[in-house]
Amino acid sequence: MSVEKGVAAGKWSAADISIRLVLNFAVSVILARILAPADFGIVAIVTFFTSLSAVFIEGGMTAAVVQRQDTSREEESAVFWWNLFASILLAAALVALGPAIAVFYGHPVIGPLMYVAGAQLVFSALGAVPSALLTRELKFDRLTKVGITSSLCGGAVGLAAAFSGAGIWALALQTAAAALVNSAMLWMMSDWRPALHVRFRHMKRLVGFGSWVGFASLLEVSYTQGYALLIGKLHGVVDLGYYNRAHGTQLVPSALVGRLINRVAFPLFAQKAEDPAAFRRGARLAIQFVMLLNVPAMTGIALLSDLVILVLFGEKWLAAAPILTILAFAGMLLPMQGVNVQMSLARGDTSSYIRNELWKKAIGIAAIVAGSFFGIIGLAWSQLVYSILALVVNARPAGRNMNYGVLHQLADIRGVAFAAIFMAIIVLGLRQLLTLSPVLLLGTCAIAGAATYVAAGFAIRSAVFLKAWELFGTRRRKTP
């Protein structure tokens, strides 16, 4: 796979992910102004069980379809039917357990919400294999159309429900509608169809890789969303709602960059896994580019968290601002971790991958338990500690196999760090000097900070900035 094709795929994927994230976040902003923090807290609890069930359903099999370049129709069909049957069984389990979960948290609405959550599981399972095949083939133009349309439809359903007085149901219906439209359109955009008569033994070749990925995904969901169970029980759904909104806001830029690189890097890395020199060059380029975008975004959010919360969500959400500041610093390294994970997966190094996941989650759980004694602020600090230690663990295979460990990776982004420091000085100075409305102050600081960041990067002649200009700036000038 050529770099040119990878860049083209990256552009389509960037359009898909960025537009979807912006649409979903815009809808969440409107819903946050209509609904109460407790509504977001309750839905966060339900979402944990939905996400956990989705991992059990998929089991890493669709990731194995992407990783394997030569899967047969029988293998792909077996994965499809497994996903579908498992989703129906787990949807029924969610419905059955709903009343007990509602009693445990003291919110009866959780029980009925599990019906919508179960339907969402089945809808998502229907589109998993077509999505994996389109991803493997880098057909992101089709995935872009699917993703944007499903986000628009889900957002429209959620907003219509909220404005009609549906309350918390607006959040549940939004995600279920998006999942249904997403899978329906994947079937329309893909030529692939499952065989009607298959045997699950056809998945045998995929089970080794897929089961490890599935287990690691189970650990990841348990850790990254397990905070909902802890906060919801120990501190209540209102605090959980504040934490959820801060976490969701921090994830917009970091998830945009992280998902983009994960979607494009995995198939590209998988095809370069047998060429160590090309593999290392691709890894360096990926890390440099994701941090070029993510570091200034996270720095800006951390420094302007109160203005971000006030402008977007309103005064009733200001308690989320200090949480957002801490989580923004934690999210600074998130895409870099993602690149290292994709390198391990693409090389098929499942033993190192799962060993690292076990280490990371042990560290993360210990950090959460310790942080929980200090409330939601303590939990936020635990995420920052985990983010730093997780990068060290994630980078170990790259250091061992390619001599590209965490110190080499950090050295490659030193220009980004210097430019971000200059940006932070300007933003902090403007906050002290200017007396403007929150909207104008936020906009002024954001524009001035971005301009300073870019100017500083080129002024110090950072290799990352120059490479980005070479790849994207010169290409744009050559386009007729």
Side-chain angles (χ1 to χ4, degrees):
M1 183 68 64
S2 66
V3 173
E4 289 77 12
K5 189 168 183 180
V7 170
K11 290 179 179 178
W12 276 110
S13 195
D16 174 23
I17 295 172
S18 60
I19 294 174
R20 274 200 291 165
L21 276 173
V22 169
L23 284 173
N24 290 335
F25 186 68
V27 171
S28 74
V29 167
I30 299 172
L31 291 176
R33 289 183 169 272
I34 299 173
L35 305 177
D39 294 330
F40 283 85
I42 291 171
V43 168
I45 294 172
V46 175
T47 299
F48 169 79
F49 290 101
T50 308
S51 301
L52 199 66
S53 300
V55 173
F56 277 113
I57 293 166
E58 180 185 335
M61 292 297 105
T62 53
V65 170
V66 177
Q67 194 265 349
R68 294 279 187 180
Q69 299 295 307
D70 59 346
T71 52
S72 66
R73 184 165 178 257
E74 288 77 14
E75 289 173 323
E76 296 155 5
S77 298
V79 172
F80 171 82
W81 290 112
W82 167 259
N83 286 350
L84 183 58
F85 292 150
S87 70
I88 294 172
L89 289 175
L90 282 172
L94 286 181
V95 171
L97 292 172
I101 298 172
V103 170
F104 182 77
Y105 284 100
H107 294 280
V109 73
I110 291 177
L113 284 173
M114 288 298 184
Y115 284 87
V116 180
Q120 180 187 335
L121 279 179
V122 178
F123 297 155
S124 297
L126 289 169
V129 171
S131 178
L133 293 173
L134 291 174
T135 299
R136 187 176 71 185
E137 297 163 7
L138 296 182
K139 292 182 178 178
F140 294 118
D141 54 338
R142 301 185 188 184
L143 289 170
T144 298
K145 296 171 185 176
V146 171
I148 293 173
T149 304
S150 62
S151 293
L152 282 171
C153 292
V157 169
L159 290 176
F163 283 116
S164 65
I168 194 173
W169 289 97
L171 295 169
L173 292 174
Q174 177 194 357
T175 54
L180 175 60
V181 174
N182 188 76
S183 289
M185 288 200 65
L186 282 169
W187 277 66
M188 293 170 59
M189 292 288 182
S190 174
D191 298 327
W192 181 86
R193 295 293 181 268
L196 296 179
H197 301 288
V198 296
R199 300 179 183 224
F200 290 126
R201 62 181 174 82
H202 287 131
M203 293 195 301
K204 183 178 180 180
R205 192 166 67 106
L206 306 176
V207 168
F209 179 87
S211 60
W212 285 116
V213 173
F215 182 58
S217 298
L218 181 64
L219 293 175
E220 183 69 18
V221 170
S222 299
Y223 172 75
T224 58
Q225 297 189 35
Y227 72 83
L229 302 185
L230 190 62
I231 298 176
K233 186 62 178 176
L234 296 180
H235 307 294
V237 293
V238 174
D239 277 357
L240 176 56
Y242 291 137
Y243 193 96
N244 176 264
R245 279 301 78 213
H247 187 251
T249 304
Q250 171 262 314
L251 279 180
V252 172
S254 62
L256 167 61
V257 177
R259 291 178 190 175
L260 169 60
I261 200 64
N262 287 351
R263 179 183 282 186
V264 178
F266 185 33
L268 284 176
F269 284 166
Q271 295 175 10
K272 296 292 185 182
E274 303 304 320
D275 185 347
F279 193 86
R280 192 177 193 275
R281 286 195 301 271
R284 291 190 65 191
L285 196 63
I287 285 174
Q288 289 175 335
F289 281 175
V290 297
M291 299 305 281
L292 178 69
L293 298 172
N294 194 59
V295 169
M298 291 294 100
T299 302
I301 289 175
L303 298 177
L304 304 170
S305 62
D306 57 331
L307 294 176
V308 171
I309 294 294
L310 187 60
V311 170
L312 291 178
F313 304 114
E315 192 172 349
K316 68 180 179 181
W317 289 94
L318 272 177
I323 305 170
L324 178 57
T325 295
I326 301 167
L327 292 181
F329 284 118
M332 201 171 288
L333 299 175
L334 187 61
M336 197 169 173
Q337 296 176 29
V339 175
N340 280 280
V341 169
Q342 296 306 314
M343 284 193 284
S344 293
L345 289 175
R347 291 172 62 92
D349 191 4
T350 52
S351 60
S352 293
Y353 173 66
I354 195 63
R355 186 166 54 247
N356 286 348
E357 290 301 311
L358 289 171
W359 271 109
K360 287 192 303 180
K361 297 311 172 285
I363 294 169
I365 291 171
I368 283 182
V369 172
S372 65
F373 290 105
F374 303 94
I376 54 177
I377 297 295
L379 285 171
W381 279 110
S382 77
Q383 296 302 291
L384 178 56
V385 172
Y386 170 76
S387 180
I388 296 169
L389 296 178
L391 176 60
V392 175
V393 174
N394 277 329
R396 288 174 60 196
R400 182 175 61 251
N401 299 323
M402 302 187 298
N403 192 30
Y404 191 52
V406 65
L407 294 180
H408 287 93
Q409 294 177 22
L410 292 174
D412 277 341
I413 61 166
R414 60 185 180 275
V416 169
F418 288 138
I421 291 172
F422 287 124
M423 182 192 93
I425 293 171
I426 294 299
V427 170
L428 290 174
L430 287 175
R431 289 212 62 174
Q432 296 296 320
L433 293 174
L434 299 180
T435 304
L436 300 171
S437 68
V439 174
L440 288 178
L441 184 57
L442 178 61
T444 301
C445 289
I447 294 171
T452 302
Y453 176 72
V454 174
F458 283 107
I460 64 176
R461 298 197 59 78
S462 166
V464 185
F465 285 81
L466 297 176
K467 185 64 175 178
W469 178 254
E470 177 188 342
L471 272 180
F472 296 101
T474 56
R475 287 175 186 277
R476 188 167 54 251
R477 289 203 304 268
K478 292 178 182 178
T479 301

